[in-house]
Amino acid sequence: MAALPLFSRLSSRRSDSLSDTTPTERRLSDLSNKSLHTCYEPDQKAPGRWVTSFKSSLNPTIVGKKKARRNRVLVLIVLILALAGIAVLVWFSLVLTLIDRLTPTVPSNGLQRILKTWKVPADSVAALSPWPEDFSQGITPVQCHSHNDYWRSVPLYEAIAAGCTGVEADIWLEGSDLLVGHRKRSLSPDRTLKSLYIDLLTTILSNLNANSSTNSSVGIFDVDPTTSLTLLIDIKTDGNATWPVLLNQLAPLRSGGWLSHWNGTNKTLVRGPVTVVGTGNTLFDLVVAEEDRYVFFDAPLDELAQNSAYTSENSYYASVSMKKAVGVVWPWGPTDSQKQAMQKMISAASERGLLSRFWSIPSWPVSLRMRLWQFLVDSGVGMLNVDDVVEATRWNWDWCIVAGLVLC
């Protein structure tokens, strides 16, 4: 019984001491007592040391104002770089997706197989034996001219595979043969007009017309057999000396009945699967001197309004350098006066029954080239002069440039 009053006095004394403390002192006491056990709930994890260290590095009361400010700037820079990296990855992924979605499909046919195996000019004719029945299957002809076609990895075949209805060959008279090349130093004995074009076209048309049930000759393109392929011959050597050699080498195509020609007796224009046009040093007087003309002239497009001599009886193309025709076209596009000048030339050629063509179209920047292509096509140009035949015939020009990146 004596112990009970003692316990009561001790409890009373402890209660009195607690009641004498301030609220702040009591909170500190509670925190001190909790620290003997844990500062967190059982299911709450304590922050890692790096979190505590990171927060401390940003606290001016701990590391000082100057250091804290510097650390905050560094954190901001890191965040910006991280966001920029994410943006680049998203942009790159988008571009790759667009390239995959926008890349035109390539038809499966004999031409594509030849493109994969062709190595030297001798392969041009050899690749056609045995004859691929699906030679030009699925290819839609497009009114575009394969500029300097002989520069391509596979001359003629590549242009036809893309659907271009015009090709160009620069010829040089060397001895009794016609070599193909842009400059004399680039000539090679195995790259001749016959090996790259004449023999090849003769073999193709012979096979296409072997079992033809129609009276008219079948052309190269399976989708539209009435389409005529234009072979533009740019004579680089003396016109008088080269002319008879050219006519002689065209004999296989002429005897097969495959050349477009002007019938001088009946005064009619006969369309064939191939139309040969002379330019460069080709002499107009030599063209019109032929009563039955199997080579037509490339008339000067910028002179049609002043010269009535060029008609569909003697000419087929009407061409001019774009720079000569309208001057320099700046990167932001042609002016209204330049557009009107080109449209007048296109109309003048169309009225004569000729195919208008502007060469030396600026290739850079790409956006300018695409705008010029679109303008010329919308204006009704007869033949679009191009260097990249696939880009011209298969790509959607509106999606050639995406996010500043040239896709086509």
Side-chain angles (χ1 to χ4, degrees), residues 64-201:
K65 292 183 178 180
K66 187 175 181 180
K67 190 173 182 180
R69 189 183 302 113
R70 185 192 65 187
N71 291 341
R72 289 174 182 175
V73 171
L74 290 174
V75 170
L76 181 61
I77 292 173
V78 170
L79 287 174
I80 292 174
L81 291 175
L83 291 174
I86 294 172
V88 169
L89 287 175
V90 172
W91 173 82
F92 191 67
S93 300
L94 176 63
V95 168
L96 289 178
T97 302
L98 285 173
I99 291 175
D100 182 63
R101 294 290 182 89
L102 297 175
T103 299
T105 56
V106 179
S108 177
N109 51 39
L111 271 168
Q112 291 301 324
R113 293 193 296 274
I114 293 172
L115 290 179
K116 293 177 181 178
T117 59
W118 194 97
K119 292 182 177 61
V120 294
D123 295 334
S124 292
V125 175
L128 297 174
S129 182
W131 170 250
E133 296 295 336
D134 59 347
F135 177 72
S136 62
Q137 182 177 298
I139 299 173
T140 301
V142 180
Q143 289 292 93
C144 69
H145 175 81
S146 177
H147 180 233
N148 291 336
D149 180 78
Y150 49 87
W151 273 351
R152 305 201 179 283
S153 300
V154 187
L156 186 60
Y157 280 123
E158 199 170 328
I160 298 175
C164 276
T165 56
V167 295
E168 178 179 344
D170 294 357
I171 63 170
W172 303 72
L173 179 61
E174 291 289 321
S176 60
D177 208 353
L178 298 175
L179 305 186
V180 175
H182 194 60
R183 291 182 174 84
K184 194 168 184 178
R185 64 174 178 270
S186 66
L187 302 179
S188 174
D190 65 336
R191 298 178 68 84
T192 67
L193 183 64
K194 283 178 59 64
S195 67
L196 293 178
Y197 296 96
I198 304 298
D199 291 346
L200 178 55
L201 288 171

Side-chain angles (χ1 to χ4, degrees), residues 202-272:
T202 302
T203 304
I204 292 172
L205 292 170
S206 295
N207 281 280
L208 288 173
N209 289 278
N211 300 315
S212 177
S213 58
T214 61
N215 294 327
S216 58
S217 299
V218 174
I220 289 175
F221 296 98
D222 180 68
V223 172
D224 184 4
T226 63
T227 300
S228 183
L229 177 75
T230 303
L231 176 59
L232 181 67
I233 304 293
D234 188 342
I235 297 179
K236 294 296 186 181
T237 44
D238 180 73
N240 286 298
T242 308
W243 181 255
V245 181
L246 172 61
L247 294 182
N248 181 61
Q249 293 206 1
L250 291 173
L253 291 170
R254 186 171 62 250
S255 61
W258 299 316
L259 289 183
S260 298
H261 61 279
W262 172 257
N263 188 317
T265 303
N266 299 328
K267 304 297 182 184
T268 56
L269 179 62
V270 180
R271 298 291 186 186

Side-chain angles (χ1 to χ4, degrees), residues 376-396:
L376 291 173
V377 170
D378 292 342
S379 300
V381 73
M383 291 290 279
L384 185 64
N385 195 84
V386 299
D387 289 302
D388 191 323
V389 293
V390 174
E391 176 183 309
T393 59
R394 291 192 185 145
W395 274 88
N396 184 331

Side-chain angles (χ1 to χ4, degrees), residues 185-370:
R185 64 174 178 270
S186 66
L187 302 179
S188 174
D190 65 336
R191 298 178 68 84
T192 67
L193 183 64
K194 283 178 59 64
S195 67
L196 293 178
Y197 296 96
I198 304 298
D199 291 346
L200 178 55
L201 288 171
T202 302
T203 304
I204 292 172
L205 292 170
S206 295
N207 281 280
L208 288 173
N209 289 278
N211 300 315
S212 177
S213 58
T214 61
N215 294 327
S216 58
S217 299
V218 174
I220 289 175
F221 296 98
D222 180 68
V223 172
D224 184 4
T226 63
T227 300
S228 183
L229 177 75
T230 303
L231 176 59
L232 181 67
I233 304 293
D234 188 342
I235 297 179
K236 294 296 186 181
T237 44
D238 180 73
N240 286 298
T242 308
W243 181 255
V245 181
L246 172 61
L247 294 182
N248 181 61
Q249 293 206 1
L250 291 173
L253 291 170
R254 186 171 62 250
S255 61
W258 299 316
L259 289 183
S260 298
H261 61 279
W262 172 257
N263 188 317
T265 303
N266 299 328
K267 304 297 182 184
T268 56
L269 179 62
V270 180
R271 298 291 186 186
V274 176
T275 302
V276 180
V277 179
T279 189
N281 289 336
T282 300
L283 300 176
F284 182 68
D285 291 342
L286 292 178
V287 172
V288 297
E290 300 286 334
E291 184 178 6
D292 292 332
R293 299 177 192 123
Y294 288 88
V295 178
F296 294 87
F297 193 66
D298 183 16
L301 180 58
D302 56 329
E303 298 178 16
L304 290 184
Q306 297 81 33
N307 195 329
S308 60
Y310 307 110
T311 67
S312 58
E313 294 181 12
N314 53 55
S315 303
Y316 188 73
Y317 273 3
S319 309
V320 70
S321 161
M322 181 169 285
K323 184 176 181 180
K324 181 183 178 183
V326 299
V328 176
V329 180
W330 298 104
W332 48 86
T335 62
D336 290 339
S337 61
Q338 288 175 323
K339 290 180 179 180
Q340 291 171 6
M342 287 188 281
Q343 288 172 333
K344 287 181 180 178
M345 294 180 194
I346 292 171
S347 297
S350 179
E351 290 170 1
R352 303 276 184 94
L354 308 179
L355 296 179
S356 54
R357 179 179 70 101
F358 292 90
W359 51 275
S360 191
I361 298 174
S363 59
W364 188 91
V366 175
S367 57
L368 171 62
R369 185 180 70 209
M370 306 316 295

